[in-house]
Amino acid sequence: MSTRAPDRRPPDRGFAAELRDAVTLRSFALVSGVLLLQFGFILSYIGAFHSPTPHRIPVAVVAPPAVAGQAVAQVNALTGRPLKARTAPGAQQARRDILHRDVDAAIIVDPRGGTDTLLVASAAGPALAGTATDVAHRLETARGRQVTVVDIRPPGPKDGRGLSSFYLVIGWVVGGYLAAAILAVAGGARPGNARHTVIRLGALALYSVVSGLGGALIAGPLLGALPGHFFPVWGIGALVVFAAAAATAALQTLFGLVGIGLAILLFVVLGNPSAGGAYPVALLPPFWRAIGGWLPTGAATTAVRNTVYFSGNATAHALWVLAGWALAGAVVALAVSALRPRAPAPAEGIASARGG
């Protein structure tokens, strides 16, 4: 005689109940946040890059005193105001102004001939140099003159289109916020106390030093894309990685796991298209042009590019921005974790329950 084994399958609870278990309210809210972040990514990148337009690119004009004012007025009167001109006393001063990053280009007027000279530095961004060249050609053609373009500081032979600085910084920034995010996932988005936060920030600082070193080695000695200036580039790398990591840690301390999404919003959705990498800041729409220099990606791109190609000129603002993000992130993370009420220890909880 055979006995039938009892059916041990769980009872069918119905589709609605299974759906509630599979997609909780919390998971639905998080996925909705990801969807909004995705739409923001698309809007930010297409919005920044769909129609690059020059806006008051600073240029120097070198011309005899009798015609200098007229030449500057003609440049500034161009439709759409693509250039913002000022006079320079001579060609050598105009070159220095470009290399010091006071202007992006210079027009040298030759009153004795029919050809003027345009000085550019495409290492600051080939798209910017190309735009200045196009505008100069239109201007000179309207005046019945020709223009010769001279690139006084092109990108290095292994720095394709001068974008290596930008891509190096993207790698550093991504590493910074991912390292902070991984520590949050592994040990809790909100550290239990200030001591935990100090330890976490210390680990992120060590990671930043190693990350900056690795990036400088890859971009410099290994690939030759950004040769020379190894130690300054390493220092910038360590600073930008820690700035991204500390800011992410602060956002996580304030908002929990949602802080990771906010970090991606700042550093990727807004930071990358406004950084002056693919298109220099002067070609971006007003919103991206306004925020680019105040976010770590844009500040670090400027700092690396100007260190490698322009002898460190015009890097002070960028370095102060990076230091500000690093300091503010660390201070906020420490302050919030120190002020948050501590959860009772297990033993304290048991004693309280017995006393009650």
Side-chain angles (χ1 to χ4, degrees), residues 52-157:
T53 304
H55 177 77
R56 298 177 65 81
I57 299 172
V59 300
V61 174
V62 179
V67 298
Q70 181 183 2
V72 168
Q74 288 178 336
V75 172
N76 288 334
L78 290 171
T79 303
R81 307 186 73 181
L83 305 179
K84 180 182 179 181
R86 71 184 196 190
T87 58
Q92 290 302 318
Q93 182 60 50
R95 292 175 65 93
R96 283 194 291 269
D97 288 346
I98 293 174
L99 297 178
H100 289 174
R101 306 311 301 135
D102 295 324
V103 298
D104 290 320
I107 301 172
I108 303 174
V109 178
D110 180 7
R112 295 170 297 180
T115 301
D116 298 332
T117 302
L118 175 69
L119 304 181
V120 297
S122 60
L128 181 61
T131 300
T133 301
D134 291 341
V135 174
H137 275 297
R138 295 201 305 269
L139 173 65
E140 296 297 295
T141 300
R143 298 171 59 203
R145 300 176 64 84
Q146 296 180 338
V147 62
T148 299
V149 180
V150 178
D151 192 347
I152 64 173
R153 188 56 54 85

Side-chain angles (χ1 to χ4, degrees), residues 28 46-47 52 56 71 255 259-260 280 305 311:
F28 176 79
I46 296 180
R56 298 177 65 81
F255 304 107
I260 299 174
R305 181 180 286 159
S311 304

Side-chain angles (χ1 to χ4, degrees), residues 55-351:
H55 177 77
R56 298 177 65 81
I57 299 172
V59 300
V61 174
V62 179
V67 298
Q70 181 183 2
V72 168
Q74 288 178 336
V75 172
N76 288 334
L78 290 171
T79 303
R81 307 186 73 181
L83 305 179
K84 180 182 179 181
R86 71 184 196 190
T87 58
Q92 290 302 318
Q93 182 60 50
R95 292 175 65 93
R96 283 194 291 269
D97 288 346
I98 293 174
L99 297 178
H100 289 174
R101 306 311 301 135
D102 295 324
V103 298
D104 290 320
I107 301 172
I108 303 174
V109 178
D110 180 7
R112 295 170 297 180
T115 301
D116 298 332
T117 302
L118 175 69
L119 304 181
V120 297
S122 60
L128 181 61
T131 300
T133 301
D134 291 341
V135 174
H137 275 297
R138 295 201 305 269
L139 173 65
E140 296 297 295
T141 300
R143 298 171 59 203
R145 300 176 64 84
Q146 296 180 338
V147 62
T148 299
V149 180
V150 178
D151 192 347
I152 64 173
R153 188 56 54 85
K158 296 184 178 180
D159 182 11
R161 295 191 58 78
L163 292 175
S164 296
S165 301
F166 175 55
Y167 291 129
L168 174 61
V169 168
I170 287 179
W172 277 332
V173 171
V174 169
Y177 74 71
L178 282 183
I182 289 172
L183 288 181
V185 171
R190 293 185 171 99
N193 53 52
R195 183 181 301 171
H196 290 171
T197 301
V198 170
I199 294 171
R200 184 171 293 183
L201 289 173
L204 291 173
L206 178 61
Y207 171 85
S208 300
V209 172
V210 176
S211 177
L213 172 62
L217 284 171
I218 293 170
L222 182 60
L223 297 179
L226 301 172
H229 308 89
F230 172 78
F231 288 103
V233 171
W234 177 8
I236 295 169
L239 181 57
V240 67
V241 174
F242 187 71
T248 303
L251 291 171
Q252 291 169 164
T253 305
L254 287 168
F255 304 107
L257 289 179
V258 175
I260 299 174
L262 295 176
I264 295 173
L265 174 65
L266 280 173
F267 303 139
V268 179
V269 175
L270 297 177
N272 287 359
S274 65
Y279 288 109
V281 173
L283 304 184
L284 298 177
F287 173 74
W288 290 267
R289 191 165 60 241
I291 67 174
W294 297 98
L295 294 176
T297 313
T301 299
T302 297
V304 173
R305 181 180 286 159
N306 288 1
T307 295
V308 172
Y309 288 114
F310 300 102
S311 304
N313 290 306
T315 57
H317 174 267
L319 295 175
W320 277 113
V321 168
L322 293 175
W325 278 91
L327 180 61
V331 169
V332 169
L334 285 169
V336 173
S337 59
L339 294 174
R340 180 179 294 117
R342 293 183 60 183
E348 294 174 354
I350 295 173

